[in-house]
Amino acid sequence: MKTGIITFHASHNYGSMLQAYALQQTVLSLGHECEIINFRTLRQKTFYRPFYRQNLLRSKVKALLYPRLAINDKRKWRLFERFMKENYHLTAAEYATFDQLRDAQLGYDAIICGSDQIWNTTCFDHDPAFFLGFTDNAKKIAYAPSMGPVPESAIEHRFDNDIRDALESFSHISVRESATADRIEAITAKRPPVVLDPTLLLTPDEWDALVPAKRTHPKDYIFFYSPSYDDSALEATIKLAEQWGIDIIVSQSNISKHRRRNKRIKFKTAIGPVEFLSLIKNAQLVMGTSFHAVVFSILFARPFYAVGGMEDARISTLLSATGLQQFAKLPEELNDTKATAAILAGRQRLEPLRQASLQFLRTALTE
């Protein structure tokens, strides 16, 4: 079966890029041909291009104040593009609009939309294409799409009729977390199964094969990653770093104003998807608000603190499934052995869910 995947693959976001890769590899491992549909809207490409190329005065000023950050942001952009070229089975053509997809006559037997927040209508780069209305000739499958951290309040009811109509043409629907399942059930009167994020379908060894042997940072460190900047989370990270006498690695430039705040903060902003995996794998502790930082901390069995994790529908579903709710609390000590043992046990609890998720895909692609 020839299968296409459409998702936020080109958003230059670590989680989006890695889950697209994982879903591709999983479909291939199930014995099907697979391509990632190269769908990149203009607003998405504009938003994720290097910040010094943004048409905003503050971006230009930031580049002048922090020229090294500007250089590294360009390097980061190149690393993301390289990851796509080297690891994705991309369509030859690139599509920027719903109409272009509709006119393309892609010729797939099945199209999968998912995973990530492609059904979060509040995302700036959300597009109706992620509900697959551009085709009537392929089997439509939803694998683990998300409506975001708080779908019950974020997804406005004015979208309900459009979503209901779109989902009627799907042969198989699954979602990534229980809160999204609740919202879809309220819209369609049918509850979809909850499956694992695609990144959890690959084994730790499969992810480890992507990680370079050389460490990104030679010393012990806390890796802080919070896509939406959280000042209280950074303050907590600084206190722990001071207490334990280790560095803080930050891969994002949106907290550059804190460069002089604490000498333990080390910026590593020229970081692509592979380097992101390395930073998690080799960290003494991973802290922040990112769902995929939690995912890869579990996969690499690294201690982590999911800031506000039980208030985030995506993270709370994962922590509850693994029995790792204690990692949504600030750690009192840096006990690598104790934390690793707990995470390994939690990871083992995912295996039945992993098998059920793989079976969902097998069935969806073959029925």
Side-chain angles (χ1 to χ4, degrees):
M1 177 176 286
K2 187 177 181 182
T3 304
I5 297 171
I6 185 167
T7 187
F8 289 147
H9 81 274
S11 65
H12 282 218
N13 170 283
Y14 301 119
S16 299
M17 297 283 286
L18 292 168
Q19 63 83 22
Y21 168 77
L23 187 53
Q24 168 193 274
Q25 294 303 103
T26 300
V27 172
L28 289 170
S29 74
L30 294 175
H32 302 281
E33 295 181 64
C34 182
E35 287 183 335
I36 294 177
I37 299 171
N38 197 0
F39 180 59
R40 312 174 78 177
T41 64
L42 177 61
R43 61 184 178 276
Q44 188 183 69
K45 291 177 73 172
T46 299
F47 182 84
Y48 283 105
R49 66 189 178 188
F51 73 79
Y52 67 87
R53 293 180 57 197
Q54 303 290 335
N55 294 322
L56 296 170
L57 178 59
R58 66 174 180 269
S59 297
K60 306 296 185 184
V61 172
K62 181 179 177 180
L64 291 172
L65 292 175
Y66 306 107
R68 178 57 58 184
L69 282 179
I71 293 169
N72 285 341
D73 205 46
K74 177 61 180 259
R75 290 173 177 167
K76 175 182 176 180
W77 184 87
R78 287 175 174 169
L79 287 170
F80 273 89
E81 292 295 306
R82 180 191 301 172
F83 183 85
M84 275 191 287
K85 291 177 182 178
E86 293 181 353
N87 295 286
Y88 285 3
H89 297 206
L90 278 175
T91 55
E94 181 178 303
Y95 308 96
T97 68
F98 181 98
D99 290 342
Q100 287 177 357
L101 287 171
R102 183 191 56 204
D103 296 341
Q105 300 295 316
L106 292 168
Y108 295 116
D109 299 305
I111 297 179
I112 302 173
C113 63
S115 163
D116 222 335
Q117 298 185 55
I118 58 168
W119 286 358
N120 184 350
T121 55
T122 66
C123 285
F124 83 94
D125 52 351
H126 172 75
D127 194 279
F130 296 117
F131 285 102
L132 305 188
F134 58 84
T135 182
D136 293 319
N137 300 319
K139 179 188 294 187
K140 300 179 184 180
I141 300 167
Y143 183 82
S146 169
M147 287 181 161
V150 283
E152 64 277 9
S153 59
I155 309 304
E156 298 178 34
H157 287 282
R158 63 189 176 93
F159 294 109
D160 286 5
N161 289 336
D162 290 340
I163 293 173
R164 184 185 304 108
D165 292 344
L167 295 185
E168 284 181 354
S169 62
F170 278 66
S171 65
H172 295 79
I173 299 172
S174 64
V175 296
R176 194 174 69 181
E177 55 272 325
S178 55
T180 296
D182 292 341
R183 191 71 180 86
I184 293 297
E185 184 177 22
I187 294 172
T188 66
K190 298 178 182 178
R191 186 173 184 82
V194 176
V195 294
L196 293 179
D197 185 86
T199 52
L200 290 162
L201 298 180
L202 301 189
T203 66
D205 286 344
E206 287 175 299
W207 286 117
D208 196 53
L210 288 177
V211 180
K214 185 178 179 180
R215 288 168 57 105
T216 305
H217 188 67
K219 299 181 181 179
D220 289 350
Y221 62 90
I222 298 172
F223 178 40
F224 177 81
Y225 182 63
S226 184
S228 298
Y229 173 64
D230 187 308
D231 190 69
S232 62
L234 179 61
E235 291 292 347
T237 306
I238 291 172
K239 287 181 181 179
L240 288 180
E242 292 285 359
Q243 179 183 337
W244 297 331
I246 60 178
D247 291 338
I248 301 168
I249 300 299
V250 175
S251 67
Q252 58 208 103
S253 62
N254 63 343
I255 66 167
S256 57
K257 63 182 179 180
H258 300 287
R259 173 179 287 274
R260 297 181 181 87
R261 183 188 227 170
N262 191 286
K263 292 182 179 180
R264 294 195 180 278
I265 298 177
K266 311 295 182 184
F267 283 84
K268 301 277 187 180
T269 53
I271 297 296
V274 169
E275 294 76 17
F276 175 76
L277 295 177
S278 178
L279 283 173
I280 292 177
K281 178 186 174 183
N282 294 298
Q284 274 55 54
L285 179 71
V286 178
M287 287 186 64
T289 59
S290 162
F291 170 78
H292 281 103
V294 173
V295 165
F296 287 107
S297 295
I298 293 173
L299 285 168
F300 289 130
R302 301 313 305 145
F304 65 92
Y305 169 39
V307 181
M310 296 312 292
E311 286 74 54
D312 184 308
R314 305 161 301 164
I315 297 173
S316 63
T317 294
L318 178 56
L319 295 183
S320 297
T322 54
L324 298 176
Q325 296 94 326
Q326 70 268 34
F327 288 93
K329 297 179 180 179
L330 193 66
E332 296 179 357
E333 59 180 344
L334 188 62
N335 190 325
D336 184 80
T337 302
K338 183 179 178 181
T340 299
I343 293 169
L344 287 172
R347 198 171 74 191
Q348 188 59 36
R349 294 187 189 99
L350 285 177
E351 188 56 28
L353 297 175
R354 178 173 173 270
Q355 293 303 324
S357 299
L358 289 169
Q359 187 56 47
F360 172 88
L361 271 175
R362 287 192 193 95
T363 301
L365 288 167
T366 56
E367 278 190 351

